[in-house]
Amino acid sequence: MAQPAKPAAPGAGRAAIKKELPERFKNHKHVWVFIEQERGHVHPVSWELMGEGRKLADKLGVELAGVVIGVPGAATQAAAQEAACYGADLVYTVTNDILADYRNEPYAKALTDLVETHKPEVLLLGATTLGRDLAGAVATTLLTGLTADCTALDVDADGSLAATRPTFGGSLLCTIYTLNFRPQMATVRPRVMAMPDRVERPLGRLVEHPLAMVEEDVVTKVLKYIPDRDSTKSSLAYADVVVAGGLGLGSPENFQLVQQLASVLGAEFGCSRPLVQKGWLPADRQIGQTGKTIRPKLYIAAGISGAIQHRVGVEGADLIVAINTDKNAPIFDFAHVGIVTDALHLLPHLTEAFRRRLSPHIRDRIAS
Amino acid sequence: MHIVVCIKQVPDSAQIRVHPVTNTIMRQGVPTIINPYDLFAVEEALRLRDQHGGAVTILTMGPPMAEESLRKAMTFGADRAVLLTDRFFAGSDTLATSYALASAIAKIGETFEPVDIVFTGKQTIDGDTAQVGPGIAKRLGLAQLTYVSRVAALDLAGGTIEVDRRAEGGVQALRTKLPCLITMLEGTNDIRRGSLPDALRAARAEIVVWSAEDAGIPDVAKCGLRGSPTVVKRVFAPSARAEKAAMVEPDGAATADALIDAMFTQRPRLEADLATLVRGF
Amino acid sequence: MTEKFDAIVVGAGMAGNAAALTMAKRGLKVLQLERGEYPGSKNVQGAILYANAVEKLIPEFREDAPLERHLVEQRFWMMDDASHTGLHYRSEDFNEERPNRYTIIRSQFDRWFSRHVQEAGALVLCETTVLELLKDTKGRVIGVRTDRRDGDVFADVVVLAEGVNGLLGTRAGLRERPARENVALAVKEMHFLPRETIEARFNLKGDEGAVIEAAGTISRGMAGMGFIYTNRESISIGIGCIVSDLAKTGHAPYELLEAFKRHPSVAPLIEGSEVKEYAAHLIPEGGYKAIPQLFGDGWLVAGDAAQLNNAIHREGSNLALASGQMAGEAVAELKGRGLEPTAKNLEIYKTRLVDSYVMQDLKKYKDMPALLHASSQNFFLTYPQLVSKAMQNFLRVDGTPKVEKEKRTLRSVFAARSITGLLGDAVRMARAWR
Ligand SMILES: Cc1cc2nc3c(=O)[nH]c(=O)nc-3n(C[C@H](O)[C@H](O)[C@H](O)COP(=O)(O)OP(=O)(O)OC[C@H]3O[C@@H](n4cnc5c(N)ncnc54)[C@H](O)[C@@H]3O)c2cc1C
Ligand SMILES: Cc1cc2nc3c(=O)[nH]c(=O)nc-3n(C[C@H](O)[C@H](O)[C@H](O)COP(=O)(O)OP(=O)(O)OC[C@H]3O[C@@H](n4cnc5c(N)ncnc54)[C@H](O)[C@@H]3O)c2cc1C
Ligand SMILES: Nc1ncnc2c1ncn2[C@@H]1O[C@H](COP(=O)(O)O)[C@@H](O)[C@H]1O
């Protein structure tokens, strides 16, 4: 087995002490967002990051760039154009046929080369399976700091990236800096940041970068790709209305009350972690730190205490409604509307009341 | 065949408490466990060994008491355990951790037998970054296979391996060359229970304890706090929302409507949004 | 599995650890089996540790054992629903160089203890449950069967330190199951608070600790006791009642605990705390008369499994430590003299126990459990209410002449309990104590 690579020493001394940025990093400028494509489909987290990247770039007074890596052709072109509509001042592309499917080697090389050539100061990626796979490899090659799974990003007075993320099982938040290295890298989970408005705009500058690699150089081959059957996967993360239940419902049978309300509202249903652990619902219905992050317009939580790990997954909701029998439940600390009552009793009435109020619209639907 | 599995001893985060005033972690009485995700990696490694022969070495970097976790991993039936422990490692971030672990894995390869596969868990429950695996792969120049749900085929003679990898919208079936690094997805297998002879062997096993120097780490400045480019500046508790929730008083049969009214009062556009949603549904 | 040990110890609680340590230090080949994930993971104790019993095993234990607070104050509370009458003892003398009593958290202490056992050379296997004892054709215990694959393992002697249930012993026909009127069910919670808060609320500084033991209406007329122990950053609070009483009255233990926590004397002490860990555990309370057969061919029993628990003084861990140590010494002595661990030879274990405070204390109180139990209505309901009434009558200044007040107190006493009944209780109590 190979000896560990012996990369250049990352400046001596304690990283914790902010020094003047080493000379070699001084010309690193601009904020980059990696636009994640899988089989021609751009992951929405990329646009969410564009929105956030725009704010950071404006604060720093620099440009915002999108990075698109993929096969030459329409899909990549479209992604670059979309990036502009979501706020990119310029777009870097690396295109090559060997980039058809995501594979770590060619993607990591493409992104690393690009960074070394064009030197961004901030590089953001989605904390998806692809983003995390890629970010780890790139940060290690570049020997720079990477803050994973952030929930908030900001720029300090001195222009450094302040990346905030949960720590210690989510009980606390911490703010992490990469003070003496560039780029400052961060990954952010889908739905943590709001989707920015899309504005029709022409594509600004497009910078193409070659990839010095051929298929023979890539050790890993894709034998097959089996797409998930859409029907089995919930679209919880992107739902406009979500109704969720927790342990307070008492039994898996009672969870139907949540599903009934969800169906009247045209909503997705979700749950707290213990329900998944008990096997009442599949893992893709879990909301929270180790489940899905959601940002619906309306979130109704029934029999959920509102533990911090649940809270971080729902805080982006526009309106949080909590039904809980315990007036001291932590969920009332961050809900907008609350009611202290038995959810088992209230849910059927709530379902009925919504059905009554929304039935004119439902009739509309049937009529049309 | 020789497999190295990286495991980490972590505080059982379900039991972590935060000091309400100082916001510091109250570690008192918080038990430590093997990072639950790592157990899937251990089991997968043991299965491959059982099928193909060879040995499984468990590696952890941590304080001396991390030996407990190694011994526990040995009761599952692993062949050897290495504890990498040194004050130089304190305060490592993912870059520094992957540096130390990669160096130790190289040393394990030299000392015992060449390494064919390195396993890690998907992520830890304390660091929670999922970066250490890719970091090790990069430093050792190994093919990197993350979020693997299944090892489909292993051809030792041909030096290839096939796995299923979880991607965002589907599953990739990949083939690559050995040596490689695999981060194992959770829920993919059930950790076995070792036999009594396994457990006795584990209890007696000599754990290999290496300092930075023993592991042949060339540059301790790349370890621990010094070798970590990221700096944690502030730790804080999430704040309560400034305004309190509007509380609806239960009122018999009128309760449900009162609650809906409260929602619509708070978000005047909500009614229209719901109508659109219901129409389009 | 043909491997054979000098001794197998079942359980890694206080008794098991003491036995394993003692034997390993004497050079015996010892295997200790514990069903919990780690030593202490299943162990519930209030918990007070008595230094003396530990010192005999590990003289320098104060240097690195995970001790919480050393006790400088003891409070006894007699409670009715709204009040408590207390007897407090606090002394600066307890701030000594080698304090006598400490609060501990068992899960941490047992783990520390186990490290010493392992360092002494014993093999410790956790997550391994002993299912049954293996016997030869003559009925002599020769080993154990565990729940692991290939799980039989053999030894000259098996030390049963499996705790209060004594399932293995019962299953092997070596003893009877503990009777329900001889065990208390205790429920306990850990309430976390910043240490400064605990120190302010209990009037403590540094590592000083305080203990409250409470009896009275909180046990609703059953024989029972509540307790509050201060740890460094947490408070252990719990209540225990005799199992047969609970069964008879239908009270759920956690309801009693909830009520105890809500009691106006208790609530302010734990206010604002974060609750972690709810646990329930049995305590042997039958005393001297409930002690089963302690040894036989190839086996010994120690600690709670032998019902060695002094409920009156709330001493259990020390008796477990002492009996475990004596069991270990007995086995090591036979081994040293080249003698077989037959029932006859193991008699030396019992002799040691009888010569020590373990049996002598239990014998002294041999009638207490029955008395407290039989008159529980009086001791735990009537008397506390009377005392409270008397105290209030005494303290409330409302223009009533003092003579009248005394009469009232006496009247209420006799109304509640006949004079012969009172005298009878006093006599019985004195006898049991003697
Ligand atoms: C590392 C880590 C990651 C985690 N990740 C997640 C995560 O991603 N998502 C997540 O949800 N959790 C997560 N958790 C778990 C989290 O800490 C909580 O344990 C969990 O969210 C609690 O679920 P709950 O609210 O359903 O249950 P409980 O906390 O038991 O709350 C039940 C609530 O229901 C109320 N109730 C009871 N009966 C009724 C009734 N009839 N009507 C109305 N209300 C009633 C009760 O008052 C109570 O508030 C994680 C924990 C850890 C340690
Ligand atoms: C709430 C409460 C408060 C208490 N407070 C005090 C106090 O303040 N001071 C005091 O001195 N005493 C106190 N006691 C009593 C004290 O805890 C016990 O007397 C003491 O723990 C007895 O030690 P032991 O080793 O006999 O049993 P345990 O400590 O119960 O240990 C038995 C061990 O055996 C293991 N085991 C059981 N069966 C098997 C099996 N089949 N295979 C493998 N392993 C097995 C168990 O997991 C356990 O670890 C308290 C008890 C309770 C419940
Ligand atoms: N200190 C460590 N010692 C051994 N392995 C580790 C250590 N830290 C992380 N790992 C491995 O890397 C994986 C990912 O960790 P993380 O990047 O912290 O989420 C874990 O599941 C472990 O397998």
Side-chain angles (χ1 to χ4, degrees):
Chain A
M1 170 169 274
Q3 271 287 321
K6 287 200 183 107
R14 288 174 75 86
I17 298 160
K18 167 93 181 168
K19 305 181 299 265
E20 201 187 340
L21 200 57
E23 207 53 46
R24 66 197 153 108
F25 293 130
K26 282 201 171 143
N27 51 352
H28 278 250
K29 252 203 166 52
H30 308 307
V31 176
W32 287 13
V33 171
F34 173 73
I35 312 288
E36 172 177 336
Q37 284 191 88
E38 194 179 54
R39 312 214 132 203
H41 168 74
V42 176
H43 197 295
V45 70
S46 309
W47 309 140
E48 293 159 19
L49 283 177
M50 271 295 177
E52 202 58 23
R54 185 72 264 168
K55 290 184 216 155
L56 299 178
D58 290 348
K59 276 192 194 157
L60 287 165
V62 299
E63 289 187 317
L64 174 67
V67 175
V68 183
I69 299 178
V71 283
T76 301
Q77 204 57 42
Q81 173 57 55
E82 266 317 274
C85 298
Y86 282 108
D89 299 312
L90 75 161
V91 176
Y92 295 97
T93 59
V94 183
T95 56
N96 190 313
D97 285 332
I98 67 170
L99 297 167
D101 275 296
Y102 173 75
R103 284 177 296 175
N104 182 269
E105 274 170 287
Y107 270 68
K109 178 161 174 51
L111 187 55
T112 309
D113 286 354
L114 202 62
V115 167
E116 284 178 333
T117 314
H118 295 282
K119 304 187 190 305
E121 57 185 310
V122 173
L123 173 55
L124 307 177
L125 298 90
T128 58
T129 56
L130 191 163
R132 285 179 170 214
D133 184 281
L134 180 59
V138 170
T140 309
T141 315
L142 295 169
L143 292 171
T144 189
L146 164 60
T147 309
D149 249 17
C150 299
T151 53
L153 298 173
D154 205 351
V155 174
D156 259 21
D158 67 354
S160 21
L161 180 71
T164 297
R165 58 160 305 189
T167 180
F168 288 109
S171 347
L172 289 176
L173 298 169
C174 64
T175 304
I176 297 181
Y177 292 78
T178 298
L179 290 181
N180 301 317
F181 300 89
R182 291 294 179 269
Q184 309 161 85
M185 291 180 62
T187 60
V188 178
R189 292 181 18 147
R191 296 305 267 161
V192 167
M193 305 300 178
M195 188 74 157
D197 291 332
R198 184 183 179 284
V199 181
E200 204 61 57
R201 276 202 323 169
L203 177 57
R205 265 178 303 139
L206 183 77
V207 181
E208 293 182 39
H209 191 83
L211 175 67
M213 207 179 206
V214 291
E215 183 57 41
E216 288 66 45
D217 299 335
V218 188
V219 199
T220 304
K221 309 289 175 198
V222 178
L223 306 176
K224 224 173 23 191
Y225 184 91
I226 310 124
D228 295 324
R229 281 188 296 121
D230 284 340
S231 55
T232 60
K233 275 194 87 182
S234 70
S235 47
L236 194 54
Y238 288 88
D240 278 329
V241 179
V242 175
V243 187
L247 266 192
L249 295 177
S251 76
E253 292 73 44
N254 290 338
F255 196 83
Q256 286 174 12
L257 302 177
V258 166
Q259 279 164 302
Q260 282 155 4
L261 176 57
S263 110
V264 163
L265 290 171
E268 281 287 345
F269 61 90
C271 66
S272 62
R273 181 161 88 159
L275 273 56
V276 172
Q277 284 171 331
K278 284 177 183 283
W280 297 3
L281 286 173
D284 66 349
R285 293 287 171 184
Q286 181 186 320
I287 301 172
Q289 189 195 340
T290 45
K292 295 271 182 348
T293 303
I294 60 173
R295 301 183 72 87
K297 295 195 167 89
L298 172 62
Y299 176 57
I300 301 179
I304 292 181
S305 60
I308 177 68
Q309 295 89 354
H310 188 79
R311 175 178 172 170
V312 296
V314 304
E315 259 178 332
D318 196 35
L319 182 68
I320 300 174
V321 179
I323 307 169
N324 198 302
T325 42
D326 175 6
K327 69 171 180 354
N328 295 319
I331 195 154
F332 293 123
D333 292 343
F334 59 93
H336 303 96
V337 175
I339 182 162
V340 178
T341 191
D342 183 349
L344 300 181
H345 184 74
L346 179 64
L347 281 173
H349 292 289
L350 195 58
T351 306
E352 229 6 82
F354 266 122
R355 194 198 305 278
R356 189 163 20 78
R357 291 193 183 204
L358 296 172
S359 62
H361 310 292
I362 298 175
R363 271 199 301 277
D364 277 3
R365 180 183 85 200
I366 295 166
S368 61
Chain B
M1 178 183 52
H2 187 196
I3 303 179
V4 173
V5 187
C6 298
I7 67 168
K8 187 176 181 191
Q9 186 177 48
V10 295
D12 188 349
S13 59
Q15 307 206 25
I16 281 184
R17 298 169 325 276
V18 178
H19 191 293
V21 182
T22 58
N23 267 340
T24 47
I25 295 294
M26 296 161 69
R27 279 180 182 272
Q28 196 200 13
V30 178
T32 51
I33 53 174
I34 296 180
N35 176 40
Y37 293 118
D38 298 348
L39 295 176
F40 301 104
V42 173
E43 174 60 25
E44 202 59 29
L46 293 174
R47 278 191 199 186
L48 291 177
R49 180 205 60 188
D50 292 348
Q51 284 164 18
H52 299 271
V56 171
T57 301
I58 310 282
L59 168 64
T60 193
M61 176 180 100
M65 97 181 197
E67 184 185 323
E68 281 174 20
S69 293
L70 289 176
R71 216 169 272 287
K72 177 153 179 192
M74 299 262 327
T75 63
F76 299 127
D79 301 276
R80 181 187 301 121
V82 179
L83 170 63
L84 192 58
T85 186
D86 203 313
R87 63 190 169 81
F88 289 119
F89 300 138
S92 298
D93 73 356
T94 54
L95 195 74
T97 302
S98 62
Y99 174 70
L101 289 173
S103 308
I105 292 167
K107 184 76 179 183
I108 286 172
E110 286 166 23
T111 312
F112 304 105
E113 51 196 303
V115 178
D116 301 289
I117 306 177
V118 177
F119 272 100
T120 74
K122 181 183 89 169
Q123 66 195 65
T124 51
I125 59 168
D126 62 342
D128 204 14
T129 73
Q131 300 303 346
V132 169
I136 295 171
K138 196 80 282 157
R139 289 178 182 274
L140 291 174
L142 306 178
Q144 167 180 328
L145 302 168
T146 53
Y147 305 101
V148 167
S149 57
R150 187 172 77 106
V151 175
L154 175 63
D155 174 3
L156 285 172
T160 62
I161 186 168
E162 291 177 24
V163 302
D164 289 348
R165 169 181 188 270
R166 176 85 247 169
E168 278 306 300
V171 175
Q172 286 182 320
L174 300 174
R175 176 169 52 227
T176 195
K177 291 212 178 82
L178 298 175
C180 70
L181 178 136
I182 294 176
T183 83
M184 203 64 202
L185 201 63
E186 73 274 16
T188 44
N189 55 36
D190 286 316
I191 186 75
R192 65 190 58 195
R193 204 172 140 62
S195 66
L196 189 66
D198 278 338
L200 284 170
R201 202 171 41 78
R204 291 190 171 117
E206 277 285 331
I207 304 280
V208 180
V209 181
W210 280 350
S211 65
E213 194 186 335
D214 299 334
I217 291 179
D219 187 357
V220 289
K222 289 188 209 156
C223 299
L225 205 56
R226 280 174 75 189
S228 300
T230 59
V231 178
V232 177
K233 268 223 181 151
R234 204 162 78 89
V235 177
F236 56 102
S239 52
R241 252 167 22 88
E243 353 119 47
K244 280 254 136 226
M247 297 304 286
V248 176
E249 282 302 318
D251 179 19
T255 309
D257 278 297
L259 185 60
I260 297 175
D261 289 339
M263 296 182 208
F264 291 166
T265 313
Q266 288 252 333
R267 295 291 181 276
R269 270 179 46 197
L270 185 63
E271 187 164 13
D273 286 342
L274 286 179
T276 322
L277 196 67
V278 170
R279 274 205 201 99
F281 187 56
Chain C
M1 178 87 213
T2 48
E3 180 152 10
K4 190 169 166 214
F5 290 84
D6 291 331
I8 291 174
V9 178
V10 182
M14 292 287 183
N17 281 338
L21 179 70
T22 305
M23 292 188 287
K25 272 191 178 162
R26 301 272 196 100
L28 270 63
K29 191 176 162 199
V30 178
L31 174 64
Q32 188 179 30
L33 301 168
E34 164 61 48
R35 75 189 152 135
E37 197 189 338
Y38 52 88
S41 62
K42 297 238 168 179
N43 295 345
V44 173
Q45 186 185 318
I48 299 175
L49 178 77
Y50 306 94
N52 167 275
V54 191
E55 257 167 353
K56 290 206 176 109
L57 290 154
I58 307 175
E60 68 296 355
F61 78 96
R62 291 184 182 84
E63 282 169 19
D64 62 346
L67 304 169
E68 292 289 311
R69 293 173 180 274
H70 67 274
L71 295 176
V72 298
E73 180 170 330
Q74 180 91 17
R75 308 179 187 174
F76 302 96
W77 283 2
M78 200 181 244
M79 309 184 83
D80 75 356
D81 292 344
S83 359
H84 75 264
T85 311
L87 171 69
H88 292 197
Y89 183 73
R90 181 185 178 109
S91 175
E92 186 55 26
D93 293 347
F94 287 132
N95 276 322
E96 55 208 323
E97 200 180 314
R98 304 165 77 76
N100 179 255
R101 298 189 307 155
Y102 294 91
T103 50
I104 53 165
I105 293 173
R106 277 292 294 274
S107 58
Q108 292 170 26
F109 185 86
D110 287 13
R111 245 177 154 168
W112 164 86
F113 199 171
S114 181
R115 274 202 294 281
H116 280 264
V117 173
Q118 290 170 46
E119 276 161 21
L123 272 194
V124 181
L125 293 194
C126 293
E127 293 181 283
T128 308
T129 304
V130 175
L131 302 175
E132 57 179 305
L133 299 178
L134 301 172
K135 293 186 194 169
D136 68 8
T137 46
K138 298 201 195 81
R140 169 166 169 183
V141 173
I142 52 165
V144 301
R145 172 158 299 158
T146 68
D147 65 339
R148 286 185 183 270
R149 219 164 0 100
D150 300 333
D152 289 359
V153 57
F154 301 96
D156 289 335
V157 61
V158 175
V159 179
L160 291 167
E162 48 170 332
V164 53
N165 274 321
L167 263 176
L168 289 175
T170 309
R171 233 183 260 155
L174 306 176
R175 52 171 294 175
E176 279 173 38
R177 254 181 77 185
R180 290 204 303 181
E181 49 283 0
N182 284 340
V183 280
L185 176 62
V187 292
K188 194 196 97 176
E189 285 177 355
M190 295 272 275
H191 285 246
F192 285 85
L193 282 168
R195 63 178 300 163
E196 313 82 67
T197 311
I198 294 176
E199 283 154 23
R201 286 182 190 175
F202 286 84
N203 187 24
L204 304 168
K205 60 178 197 299
D207 284 337
E208 289 175 348
V211 164
I212 301 174
E213 293 192 327
T217 59
I218 50 167
S219 63
R220 312 255 165 90
M222 298 179 281
M225 199 77 134
F227 57 86
I228 300 175
Y229 299 160
T230 52
N231 302 318
R232 232 172 309 163
E233 294 184 332
S234 62
I235 292 172
S236 302
I237 178 166
I239 185 166
C241 289
I242 298 292
V243 171
S244 58
D245 285 356
L246 289 168
K248 214 162 25 194
T249 59
H251 287 302
Y254 71 88
E255 278 170 20
L256 300 177
L257 179 57
E258 284 305 313
F260 183 43
K261 279 159 45 188
R262 277 197 309 269
H263 190 283
S265 297
V266 175
L269 294 174
I270 54 170
E271 193 190 309
S273 61
E274 190 188 343
V275 191
K276 280 274 151 96
E277 261 181 56
Y278 171 90
H281 202 267
L282 297 174
I283 308 180
E285 303 225 331
Y288 188 74
K289 293 180 172 168
I291 297 174
Q293 174 65 26
L294 291 168
F295 59 92
D297 277 335
W299 64 273
L300 296 169
V301 55
D304 276 6
Q307 301 275 315
L308 300 175
N309 197 306
N310 183 344
I312 310 302
H313 282 262
R314 317 222 98 212
E315 291 176 28
S317 60
N318 54 336
L319 302 193
L321 288 168
S323 60
Q325 182 173 9
M326 289 177 213
E329 283 165 358
V331 172
E333 188 181 324
L334 293 186
K335 177 92 187 166
R337 290 169 31 201
L339 295 174
E340 289 281 303
T342 57
K344 187 161 156 293
N345 289 335
L346 285 170
E347 175 96 37
I348 56 167
Y349 167 51
K350 184 159 179 189
T351 313
R352 278 165 201 263
L353 281 174
V354 170
D355 288 346
S356 73
Y357 72 97
V358 175
M359 285 299 214
Q360 287 171 17
D361 283 1
L362 289 172
K363 196 163 178 187
K364 171 169 165 19
Y365 295 118
K366 66 184 189 308
D367 296 321
M368 273 306 256
L371 169 64
L372 286 177
H373 194 213
S375 313
S376 63
Q377 283 284 335
N378 295 328
F379 285 115
F380 296 95
L381 213 55
T382 315
Y383 299 162
Q385 281 167 340
L386 289 179
V387 170
S388 171
K389 227 181 226 165
M391 283 308 292
Q392 194 163 120
N393 204 7
F394 176 75
L395 291 173
R396 203 182 277 282
V397 177
D398 56 3
T400 316
K402 301 295 182 219
V403 176
E404 175 61 19
K405 284 200 164 207
E406 273 170 25
K407 275 193 199 139
R408 258 192 230 163
T409 301
L410 279 176
R411 263 204 305 277
S412 64
V413 170
F414 293 128
R417 182 96 175 95
S418 75
I419 180 102
T420 44
L422 270 177
L423 282 175
D425 282 345
V427 170
R428 275 191 289 272
M429 181 70 141
R431 269 209 208 111
W433 200 273
R434 206 184 40 207

